[in-house]
Amino acid sequence: MTETIESAAQDDDRRPPLEARRRPRVHRAWIVAAVTFVTIIGGAAFNSLPGLLIDPLHTEFGWSRGEIGLAVSIDMALYGLTAPFAAALMDRFGIRRVVAAALTMVAAGALASVWMTASWQLMIYWGLLVGLGTGSMAMAFAATVTNRWFVARRGLVTGILTAAGASGQLVFLPLCAWIVDEHGWRPASVTVALAALVVVPFVCLLMRDHPADVGLAPYGGAYVAKPAPARGAARRTVKVLFKAARTGPFWLLAGTFAICGASTNGLIRTHFVPSAHDHGMPITAAASLLAVIGIFDVIGTIFSGWLTDRFDARRLLAVYYALRGISLLFLPMLMGPDVRPPMVFFIVFYGLDWVATVPPTLALCREQYGEDSAIVFGWVLASHQVGAAVVAFLGGVARDVFGSYDVVWYASGALCAVAALMSLVIRRVRASSAAVPSG
């Protein structure tokens, strides 16, 4: 009799509450995904500024491009290194609290930079505060949302959320370029701070940490009870790193993603505008070209998510990196004072490939590391940002030393060829053998 009662109780625990048995017209997962999209846009707004401010800061304060590049590299490195800890903190304190705090930190750093007078302050405000804030809303945030709220359409949703970063660039880059050109760099920083603050109420009111909070199953899956808060977030994050670091695929994924960051955020986002300006192109025209990259990045990333649901992620990565490397080798020949058709072709081509690498990389993390995949992806993202940070700094140094960015374009193209080869040697595992949580 006792066994019968215990069995019935266990069955009740596994059943979703009454609310979960009602199917809403629009699944709440899509609302959460929409809020996540807007949040990433708000967080990404600041990423549109560094490339626009290199010349104004150099002119006003006399700081070298290497010094400014160092501040940008600190921001990018912390963006990546914060991501895996942020994923674990979301498991401990909830998505809403972590993301609201991160947006506030970004706004504080952007506002404080208005009163800076020394390069070390640039490194504190841009590097430390904004790096920690944006890192807490990095792609690991998108991975956490998709892992919790979606079973079906994960690749597509990953592509859409990844594209949010490019959308932020698309929305804010031309505006910030115009503000910098007409009114100076300080009003542009204030604009970015306000954009981050505007998103906070949406996060607090509409974001939910887990489908079970509203009595629902994940989209396309079965109801799962909300797990207890995971204590020891930092310890778990480091533990997952050491566990993943004992596997070959982790290093291949981290290496390819480091090259991805070097050839996108570190190179194009940071140095394309000043490089084009070196060739006589107006800053507003160069910034508009980056905005066009943002338009086609949205298309390319969403399409990449769709492809990831259907094709071998390793081969997709190899194709993406190979095409990116080829395009970078041609870029120095396309620079000029005017926007000509070959440059437009490069921008469209590069835009389609910009972060198309994210959905297949995340899919491979999920395949290899199971429920630890969001944290593992956070560490892989850290390598992405370390690669970006190195090139953001070295690109500025190369410009100071050689008077040109050409050597950086060629070196990045060669690195992309290496990434294409690395992608092909990542081993596949069956879904049933994916890593289990490390606890």
Side-chain angles (χ1 to χ4, degrees):
M1 182 69 174
T2 303
E3 293 178 357
T4 303
I5 294 173
E6 290 177 352
S7 177
Q10 291 173 356
D11 288 342
D12 286 340
D13 290 339
R14 286 192 293 266
R15 285 193 195 122
L18 180 59
E19 294 88 343
R21 301 170 207 170
R22 299 170 182 165
R23 183 173 297 176
R25 292 183 179 179
V26 177
H27 196 286
R28 184 62 178 265
W30 294 108
I31 298 176
V32 172
V35 175
T36 304
F37 186 91
V38 173
T39 301
I40 294 174
I41 287 177
F46 192 87
N47 290 331
S48 65
L49 277 182
L52 300 176
L53 302 189
I54 289 177
D55 286 335
L57 292 176
H58 174 71
T59 301
E60 179 173 340
F61 297 108
W63 301 336
S64 70
R65 290 176 176 83
E67 285 181 290
I68 300 169
L70 179 59
V72 177
S73 71
I74 293 171
D75 165 43
M76 291 183 175
L78 285 177
Y79 176 97
L81 293 172
T82 303
F85 292 95
L89 286 172
M90 289 176 189
D91 289 341
R92 174 66 179 89
F93 297 104
I95 295 174
R96 282 193 296 180
R97 292 180 181 178
V98 173
V99 172
L103 286 165
T104 304
M105 192 175 297
V106 170
L111 281 175
S113 68
V114 171
W115 293 282
M116 65 185 177
T117 56
S119 60
W120 67 265
Q121 294 171 323
L122 177 71
M123 296 174 192
I124 295 293
Y125 303 147
W126 272 20
L128 181 62
L129 289 179
V130 175
L132 291 174
T134 55
S136 298
M137 298 176 292
M139 285 177 275
F141 168 39
T144 300
V145 170
T146 53
N147 284 354
R148 291 186 185 183
W149 282 90
F150 291 86
V151 174
R153 302 288 187 270
R154 272 181 174 171
L156 177 63
V157 175
T158 300
I160 293 172
L161 295 183
T162 302
S167 299
Q169 176 178 300
L170 167 63
V171 170
F172 289 98
L173 189 56
L175 174 63
C176 289
W178 178 82
I179 293 174
V180 170
D181 198 42
E182 296 292 328
H183 303 287
W185 63 270
R186 288 180 176 84
S189 292
V190 173
T191 300
V192 167
L194 294 177
L197 288 176
V198 164
V199 182
V200 174
F202 290 94
V203 173
C204 295
L205 294 174
L206 299 176
M207 178 65 72
R208 293 294 180 270
D209 295 330
H210 196 278
D213 289 340
V214 287
L216 292 174
Y219 182 80
Y223 179 84
V224 178
K226 183 177 181 179
R231 299 182 182 276
R235 184 175 66 253
R236 182 190 173 205
T237 302
V238 175
K239 185 177 179 181
V240 169
L241 170 63
F242 281 113
K243 181 179 178 181
R246 293 196 295 268
T247 66
F250 173 80
W251 293 106
L252 291 169
L253 288 167
T256 56
F257 224 41
I259 294 172
C260 178
S263 57
T264 53
N265 292 354
L267 186 62
I268 297 292
R269 177 171 285 171
T270 305
H271 295 295
F272 178 82
V273 171
S275 178
H277 190 55
D278 284 346
H279 289 80
M281 186 180 293
I283 290 178
T284 51
S288 297
L289 289 176
L290 280 187
V292 174
I293 285 181
I295 295 173
F296 286 93
D297 179 30
V298 173
I299 298 170
T301 307
I302 294 174
F303 184 55
S304 177
W306 182 84
L307 291 174
T308 301
D309 287 332
R310 291 161 175 79
F311 297 101
D312 186 340
R314 301 171 305 162
R315 294 180 180 179
L316 289 175
L317 284 178
V319 171
Y320 296 156
Y321 285 122
L323 293 176
R324 181 183 300 178
I326 292 170
S327 66
L328 284 173
L329 294 176
F330 282 97
L331 181 57
M333 295 179 281
L334 305 178
M335 289 290 187
D338 303 316
V339 180
R340 299 175 182 175
M343 175 59 81
V344 174
F345 179 79
F346 168 83
I347 292 297
V348 171
F349 187 86
Y350 206 83
L352 291 171
D353 190 68
W354 180 272
V355 285
T357 55
V358 173
T361 299
L362 180 52
L364 288 170
C365 285
R366 190 178 293 121
E367 175 186 293
Q368 297 280 345
Y369 303 106
E371 293 185 13
D372 283 336
S373 61
I375 296 177
V376 173
F377 181 70
W379 284 115
V380 171
L381 177 63
S383 71
H384 180 283
Q385 292 307 116
V386 169
V390 169
V391 172
F393 172 63
L394 292 181
V397 172
R399 172 62 178 78
D400 290 334
V401 173
F402 300 109
S404 168
Y405 286 102
D406 288 0
V407 65
V408 186
W409 303 127
Y410 293 135
S412 296
L415 284 175
C416 287
V418 174
L421 295 175
M422 292 171 66
S423 301
L424 291 174
V425 299
I426 299 173
R427 64 176 175 83
R428 296 297 304 271
V429 296
R430 294 181 178 178
S432 60
S433 63
V436 297
S438 57

